Amino acid sequence: MSGMQVSARQGRAAPLRLGVGGTHQAGGSRGPVCPPQAVWPSGTECIAKYNFHGTAEQDLPFSKGDVLTIVAVTKDPNWYKAKNKVGQEGIIPANYVQKREGVKAGIKLSLMPWFHGKITREQAERLLYPPETGLFLVRESTNYPGDYTLCVSCEGKVEHYRIIYSSSKLSIDEEVYFENLMQLVEHYTTDADGLCTRLIKPKVMEGTVAAQDEFSRSGWALNMKDLKLLQIIGKGEFGDVMLGDYRGNKVAVKCIKNDATAQAFLAEASVMTQLRHSNLVQLLGVIVEEKSGLYIVTEYMAKGSLVDYLRSRGRSVLGAECLLKFSLDVCEAMEYLEANNFVHRDLAARNVLVSEDNIAKVSDFGLTKEASSTQDTGKLPVKWTAPEALREKKFSTKSDVWSFGILLWEIYSFGRVPYPRIPLKDVVPRVEKGYKMDAPDGCPAIVYEVMKKCWTLDPGHRPSFHQLREQLVHIKEKELYL
């Protein structure tokens, strides 16, 4: 480390001054006292917890919520050399920032940690014991399938309130209506409004962690006040994708309104906190708003999905060099996922986005899992999914390699749908007998050879993404694609 050390002001204490009653004050707000335990290596991302105006020329001022990257350690462990988003460098106090971490794998995040699913009235009463006024949970109704029940401990006994679901709204008294369970619980947390007591303390389902707490702990929670939603740029079955402005920067925002859908998207957001690569769409943070749902904020990709980009521009605009560059961009992202033991499971040109400066980045981590887990195959895109994944639910980096071969075919056919003229029901039987698509018109033979290697039926004989990248780099350097 000593080679990286920067001469900080010797012995200068981190900027903490004692305020009233001995509390430490940082730029007008409370600052923590403890210096960081471990040394943060160069490249570590931090998020600012306080404003720092800087007191010496070499300081780097920042505002609460800014993301900073550690450049080097200084001789004083309380100070680091860091850079901000626009590349300005300077010295920062360690105790004003929080290291960003990936959300821990294996924990179950919940937007509704008080929701216990299908449990009986008796099980609910056991969970709310010993009695404590205001302790509550929500369960699925056993008597009225499709409805919910709010169970509240009040003065030694448990009251059960049926939550009626009618015309897409929820209500207990048919006077006040709510869009979702989170809104309903939020309302009765602030006001009993006819219940025996207001909701005071959630009975958290065992094994779950409140999503907001975990995103805050790991440094990924953003503030809704800093985000302006500008216009809809895409619609999904889950909600809208909007162009937003986050503290002066253009961002893309997935706005997920429905309880169940938002819950499913938590997994995507938590995977994205663990991934950092210039060819992966970068998560900027997550906003959990109890009243309105979940917002996943990512970098904005001005040119939209790769499949639309290819279709709208076509052969006259996009030359051979450009197609190979997109192929390499995606391959580098996938090599990174491979090295970190993540399987994407839904690699396709529709899930690759193109930035203002024509960089292709892999997105849509909705199905991405750590390599060991299995998955329901009900909704899988048949034409992009490897035969063993469809047949035996065996997902691996090698099944991603198969999908990469299909994506290469999409790139070189300028966004055509794979297996043209073959009915969907016939695709899998033909592929399992060894059928491979022909090369797209004008596709260099050497690139078509790469596609065919990806479509080897035995996954063990398919190349790795590392090998694929080496082959594509070789094709590029020797200009074999022309």
Side-chain angles (χ1 to χ4, degrees), residues 369-383:
K369 302 273 197 318
E370 295 215 33
S372 56
S373 56
T374 58
Q375 179 206 326
D376 167 39
T377 49
K379 289 188 170 176
L380 288 170
V382 168
K383 291 183 174 186

Side-chain angles (χ1 to χ4, degrees), residues 98-166:
Q98 173 186 1
K99 178 184 169 186
R100 269 196 157 172
E101 298 171 18
V103 168
K104 290 193 186 80
I107 60 171
K108 186 168 172 6
L109 294 184
S110 178
L111 286 172
M112 308 181 290
W114 33 259
F115 181 63
H116 290 249
K118 278 195 169 90
I119 59 168
T120 64
R121 187 184 178 102
E122 292 71 33
Q123 285 170 310
E125 292 184 356
R126 278 202 296 278
L127 285 167
L128 296 175
Y129 187 86
E132 184 182 337
T133 293
L135 186 65
F136 73 94
L137 62 83
V138 177
R139 60 182 171 88
E140 285 181 41
S141 172
T142 36
N143 296 341
Y144 303 97
D147 285 354
Y148 300 106
T149 305
L150 171 64
C151 311
V152 192
S153 175
C154 186
E155 294 176 2
K157 58 188 219 290
V158 175
E159 300 288 349
H160 299 262
Y161 296 94
R162 179 182 168 196
I163 300 171
I164 299 149
Y165 184 76
S166 75

